[in-house]
Amino acid sequence: MKYIKKYSYYISLTAALLFYVYITEPLYSFSEELISNYRLQSKRLTKTEDLLDKAGMVGEELSKAQNNKAAMEAFFFGAETEGQFKLQIQQQLDQLFKQSECRLDTLTWLEGDVLSENIRQWKVKIEFQGSPLCSIKLTRLIEESTPSLEIEHYAFGGQNWTGVISEVLNGEFTINVWRMRKDS
């Protein structure tokens, strides 16, 4: 008993240290871990909720893009082969010349540019003859046509033209056309 009183401070200090090392410190570190896990999970939840909100917006944007793509495809020629594409252009131009009552002299294919993986631009040079009225009709029909034809360059001329509507003009157009390759 005498030793217990003598070493009571040491025993109480040892008990306090053992209590701290084996009970208090593990509980504190466990509570800190729980708090950090809670914060991490709440951040993840917030990010997930934000992503779900954005997924709705992305879905809307995707549907708008698909609608725009469908509307845009009407302006491109969609033949599967180059030969079919050129035939479509020639048929459309023949039809436009018949409607405008002009006479097609020559149609020449010029080198085209690759605009993207699926889109290629071609140039067509056309020489024709007709009245000034037919030239105006032809210009308007080309610009209004669908799939789209774009006049890049034009020239009109005639010999001894006096301004009479029935006189013959020579004309030349360079037209841009676009082909969109179909996805296989």
Side-chain angles (χ1 to χ4, degrees), residues 32-44:
E32 286 295 316
E33 185 179 327
L34 284 177
I35 291 171
S36 68
N37 281 342
Y38 172 75
R39 287 181 183 152
L40 180 65
Q41 293 298 330
S42 65
K43 284 182 182 179
R44 285 182 181 170

Side-chain angles (χ1 to χ4, degrees), residues 20-178:
Y20 175 77
V21 169
Y22 289 108
I23 295 173
T24 308
E25 177 62 27
L27 282 176
Y28 179 75
S29 62
F30 180 69
S31 67
E32 286 295 316
E33 185 179 327
L34 284 177
I35 291 171
S36 68
N37 281 342
Y38 172 75
R39 287 181 183 152
L40 180 65
Q41 293 298 330
S42 65
K43 284 182 182 179
R44 285 182 181 170
L45 179 65
T46 305
K47 285 182 181 180
T48 305
E49 288 173 348
D50 289 345
L51 284 174
L52 289 175
D53 291 342
K54 289 179 183 177
M57 292 187 318
V58 168
E60 291 173 10
E61 291 296 321
L62 179 63
S63 66
K64 285 180 186 177
Q66 288 172 341
N67 290 340
N68 289 342
K69 180 184 176 194
M72 180 186 70
E73 285 177 350
F75 293 100
F76 294 99
F77 289 88
E80 294 196 16
T81 65
E82 188 177 317
Q84 290 174 342
F85 165 71
K86 288 182 177 182
L87 182 62
Q88 278 182 343
I89 300 288
Q90 289 175 350
Q91 288 172 343
Q92 184 171 352
L93 288 173
D94 283 341
Q95 191 176 38
L96 295 177
F97 274 95
K98 284 179 187 173
Q99 290 175 2
S100 66
E101 300 170 358
C102 289
R103 190 183 91 213
L104 176 64
D105 289 337
T106 61
L107 185 141
T108 308
W109 288 93
L110 305 174
E111 280 296 316
D113 298 324
V114 177
L115 301 179
S116 74
E117 182 178 315
N118 292 334
I119 299 174
R120 182 165 183 186
Q121 176 185 7
W122 292 82
K123 295 181 188 288
V124 181
K125 183 177 178 184
I126 299 169
E127 294 177 6
F128 64 95
Q129 292 182 356
S131 68
L133 187 58
C134 106
S135 300
I136 293 170
K137 281 184 191 177
L138 181 63
T139 304
R140 181 176 241 170
L141 288 171
I142 287 173
E143 289 291 334
E144 292 175 350
S145 67
T146 303
S148 184
L149 301 174
E150 177 190 55
I151 298 174
E152 178 181 295
H153 172 74
Y154 64 92
F156 298 107
Q159 294 180 347
N160 298 327
W161 191 61
T162 59
V164 179
I165 297 269
S166 62
E167 290 183 325
V168 175
L169 286 177
N170 296 321
E172 177 182 304
F173 286 141
T174 303
I175 298 175
N176 292 325
V177 294
W178 295 271

